[in-house]
Amino acid sequence: MSKPRVFVTRVIPEPGLALLRDSCDLVIWPDELPPSYDTLRAEAARSEGLLTLLSDPIDAALINAAPSLRVISQMAVGVDNIDLAAATARGIPVGHTPGALTETTADLAFALLMAAARRLPEAERFVHAGQWRTWGPMLLLGQDVHGATLGIVGMGRIGLAVARRAQGFAMRIIYYSRHESPEARALGAEYLPLDEVFAQADFISLHTPLTPETYHLVNDRAFALMKPTAVLINTARGGVIDPDALYRALSTGKIAAAALDVTEPEPIPPDSPLLTLDNCLIVPHIGSASVATRTRIAVMAAENLLAGLRGERLPHCANPQVYERQ
Ligand code: NAP
Ligand code: GLV
């Protein structure tokens, strides 16, 4: 019997690929950069399984031009790059990797919070530029993290993991999600309207998925509510913040600083005005980038893919409605 053809859109950690080698006819895109949309579409059209990354646009046109496609498995928890409705309409389950990267991403969110609060990138640039001449009573003063108010927007798995870290710093935790979270209440976090979170927080950390509802949720109106000392951290998706409004807020002192793991667009264009600002720390979408976690999510993605090829329910499915229509 011939093996199902599976297209993997980049080289991923070997333990994930190893799970697929025996049972699949594996085609792996070998470059550092993702395949072009046209290549992706052509590969999808010839494949029964796709193992995708968040940088792959999997739209309705691509899905509908792939007659043999039976499963899409994304090596990430966020699936905003995939048209889930189109996949569901075709009866194609979409896998993702919830939970396995929660703690690693929360670690990065807290690292960004600390780095922006204490101006670490500026301080490092200062030392490397040979500007450290003496201990300065007014040098590079930042903000205290301990005892400050942390506002979490999107109190799901990663939001809760960030809240647990904040407890260790004796922070007051306030949050907004569309629903109150019993787990957050158990941590002592206060559920407030979104505008109150923006207005009261010293640090605001974003943890919602990117949806039509959260697109540019942080905009001029939101920045106008924030404290001038506020620090904004984004490890969710770039599109949750309006980047032009962010530039206006940072460059006019409406807020003190931002620390971003994700940007709109991605990668950030080299001529983005955000890159000219000392108070904007940007790293290249490395939230889940530990060896252990990337290995774990590669294996999860492979397991989802294999289940889909076998016609079994995916262990972690982003469009469970697909099973209701069968
Ligand atoms: P999750 O457990 O589903 O949590 C997301 C939370 O957002 C949910 O609890 C949801 O609560 C809330 N939410 C949804 N829509 C909202 C809205 N309109 N306004 C306010 N809150 C809303 O997901 P997760 O595992 O924590 O991951 C969250 C996101 O982080 C992912 O979707 C992904 O985009 C991003 N992420 C980034 C990295 C990285 O490398 N930087 C790594 C992992 C994940 P309600 O339903 O109550 O609103
Ligand atoms: C990373 O951004 C993810 O969604 O897993």
Side-chain angles (χ1 to χ4, degrees), residues 200-247:
Q200 293 187 28
D202 299 306
F203 297 91
I204 298 162
S205 195
L206 305 177
H207 299 289
T208 64
L210 178 62
T211 63
E213 213 181 334
T214 62
Y215 176 74
H216 288 191
L217 184 72
V218 185
N219 51 23
D220 285 314
R221 200 194 70 83
F223 287 119
L225 295 169
M226 292 179 196
K227 297 180 182 180
T229 49
V231 175
L232 176 67
I233 301 104
N234 191 6
T235 57
R237 281 290 182 268
V240 179
I241 301 178
D242 173 348
D244 297 331
L246 176 63
Y247 178 76

Side-chain angles (χ1 to χ4, degrees), residues 77-78 101 105 154-158 176-179 207-209 213-214 235-237 261-262 285 287-288:
V77 64
L101 39 57
T105 307
M155 192 60 108
R157 288 172 292 255
I158 299 170
Y176 171 74
S177 273
R178 292 166 306 175
H179 312 93
H207 299 289
T208 64
E213 213 181 334
T214 62
T235 57
R237 281 290 182 268
D261 182 43
V262 288
H285 204 148
S288 68

Side-chain angles (χ1 to χ4, degrees), residues 233-313:
I233 301 104
N234 191 6
T235 57
R237 281 290 182 268
V240 179
I241 301 178
D242 173 348
D244 297 331
L246 176 63
Y247 178 76
R248 285 190 285 276
L250 289 170
S251 58
T252 60
K254 275 205 160 60
I255 65 167
L260 314 174
D261 182 43
V262 288
T263 60
E264 184 195 55
E266 251 176 50
I268 193 164
D271 61 352
S272 165
L274 290 172
L275 294 175
T276 66
L277 299 174
D278 268 344
N279 56 349
C280 189
L281 160 57
I282 305 179
V283 295
H285 204 148
I286 55 171
S288 68
S290 75
V291 175
T293 292
R294 286 284 168 84
T295 303
R296 200 158 42 234
I297 64 175
V299 167
M300 259 174 107
E303 288 170 348
N304 279 329
L305 190 100
L306 288 173
L309 291 174
R310 287 193 297 261
E312 295 167 5
R313 195 181 175 102

